[in-house]
Each structure stands twice: as structure tokens, then as C-alpha cells.
């Protein structure tokens, strides 16, 4: 689907297939991991362009920090080499720590911004850092409403699902 998404990309840099919208890589700066901040046409009535742009710009900033190579990264590489890479077993690398920050940022954005809108940002690492995938998700509403219900969500686990079906939410 990644090749289909890139083949069907529009002039704004985003493509949509079915219930999924893709935001492609921005190669204007070379092979640096950077995503286009244009809002897909399919999502223009579901999410504000400023909100999506802010999320993508923050992702771009986090990736820029992850790929920054400075004296500390050089020292970490030398220490790993001197310890025969046993340091990785005790202490995660800079990129692993940055990856965790990116994943936690995506989780926070999904929980706070996109799940209430019925959208879900997929794992960019699982996609090979080729695109950001935004899924239109009925169960995002389910998780959002169950989070609002709190402990009552255990008693009525499908109540939110039926509310979404009743209102005809995607």
C-alpha cells in the first residue's frame, strides 16, 4: 500500500486510500527523516490543518533531534565500541531513547487529539519511516468514550460501540 500511496499522492503531498490517509516523506532536505506538513484532502473536514501541521512539525523536530550527531553521540559510540557493544545491554542508545520519545508523543497525540476525532496515527516505524498513516477508526471513539466512563467502562464494555453505531460515526 505504500507504493500505491506514493503513486496516488496529490500536489499537497498526501494521498488517501479507503479509510486511511497517508502523509508522505519530504525529500527536499535529502534523506533526512522529515514528513510533509500538508493536510490530506480527505481529512480537511475532520481535523484542522493547523492541528495536523503542528503534530507533523513536532514529529519532524523529534526526528531531527534523534538524528543529530554531536560530541555526546560520538562519545557514546566510542564507549560502545570499547565495551564490545555491551553498553547497549545496560543503557539504551540515543536513537532508542529518541524512538521511545517519538512513540510516546504519537501515543499522547492519539489519546488527547486524534482519538476524540475518530482518527488514529499509525506507527511510523512499522511503516519504515516512509509515511505517516492516519486511520479513520470507529474504535477510537470507543476508546475515547470508555476513557470518559472510567470504571463504568468495565460494566458496559460495548455501550460506546453502540453509541457510535447509533450516531453513524465512521
Amino acid at each position: 500500500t505504500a507504493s500505491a500511496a506514493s503513486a496516488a499522492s496529490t500536489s499537497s503531498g498526501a494521498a488517501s486510500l479507503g479509510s486511511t490517509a497517508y502523509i508522505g516523506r519530504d525529500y527536499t532536505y535529502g534523506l533526512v527523516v522529515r514528513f510533509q506538513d500538508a493536510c490530506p484532502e480527505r481529512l480537511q473536514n475532520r481535523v484542522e490543518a493547523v492541528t495536523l501541521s503542528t503534530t507533523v512539525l513536532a514529529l519532524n523536530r523529534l526526528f531531527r533531534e534523534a538524528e543529530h550527531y554531536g560530541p555526546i553521540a560520538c562519545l557514546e559510540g566510542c564507549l560502545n565500541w570499547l565495551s564490545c557493544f555491551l553498553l547497549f545491554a545496560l543503557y539504551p542508545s540515543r536513537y532508542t531513547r529518541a524512538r521511545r520519545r517519538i512513540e510516546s508523543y504519537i501515543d499522547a497525540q492519539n489519546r488527547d487529539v486524534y482519538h476524540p476525532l475518530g482518527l488514529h496515527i499509525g506507527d511510523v516505524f512499522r511503516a519504515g519511516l516512509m509515511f505517516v498513516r492516519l486511520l479513520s477508526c470507529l474504535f477510537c471513539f470507543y476508546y475515547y468514550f470508555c476513557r470518559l466512563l472510567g470504571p463504568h467502562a468495565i460494566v458496559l464494555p460495548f455501550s460506546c460501540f453502540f453509541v457510535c453505531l447509533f450516531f453513524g460515526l465512521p
Side-chain angles (χ1 to χ4, degrees):
T1 59
S3 61
S6 62
S9 67
T10 60
S11 61
S12 65
S16 60
L17 298 172
S19 63
T20 304
Y22 295 92
I23 299 174
R25 286 272 297 266
D26 184 6
Y27 290 106
T28 57
Y29 297 99
L31 295 177
V32 177
V33 178
R34 182 176 171 83
F35 298 102
Q36 298 171 351
D37 58 351
C39 183
E41 294 172 9
R42 179 176 170 83
L43 298 176
Q44 286 181 354
N45 60 350
R46 301 215 33 206
V47 65
E48 293 182 21
V50 175
T51 303
L52 187 61
S53 177
T54 303
T55 301
V56 172
L57 289 175
L59 279 174
N60 288 340
R61 180 184 49 81
L62 288 170
F63 276 112
R64 187 174 54 245
E65 290 172 3
E67 294 177 347
H68 177 70
Y69 191 75
I72 293 175
C74 184
L75 178 65
E76 181 181 308
C78 292
L79 289 175
N80 278 319
W81 183 77
L82 290 174
S83 69
C84 296
F85 296 95
L86 293 176
L87 189 62
F88 281 143
L90 303 173
Y91 187 71
S93 68
R94 276 184 74 249
Y95 197 80
T96 302
R97 292 189 310 268
R99 180 179 175 157
R100 288 181 188 157
R101 279 195 306 269
I102 292 167
E103 289 171 346
S104 67
Y105 175 75
I106 290 173
D107 289 340
Q109 288 294 304
N110 278 333
R111 183 181 58 248
D112 298 336
V113 178
Y114 294 102
H115 283 178
L117 298 173
L119 297 171
H120 178 79
I121 299 177
D123 186 10
V124 293
F125 294 101
R126 181 172 279 205
L129 300 175
M130 294 300 292
F131 51 83
V132 176
R133 182 175 54 197
L134 287 140
L135 301 161
S136 177
C137 181
L138 172 67
F139 292 104
C140 296
F141 283 112
Y142 173 74
Y143 292 129
Y144 177 69
F145 285 125
C146 286
R147 196 179 78 179
L148 288 177
L149 288 175
H152 303 292
I154 296 170
V155 176
L156 302 170
F158 295 105
S159 62
C160 299
F161 179 73
F162 291 119
V163 166
C164 292
L165 284 178
F166 177 74
F167 288 112
L169 299 174

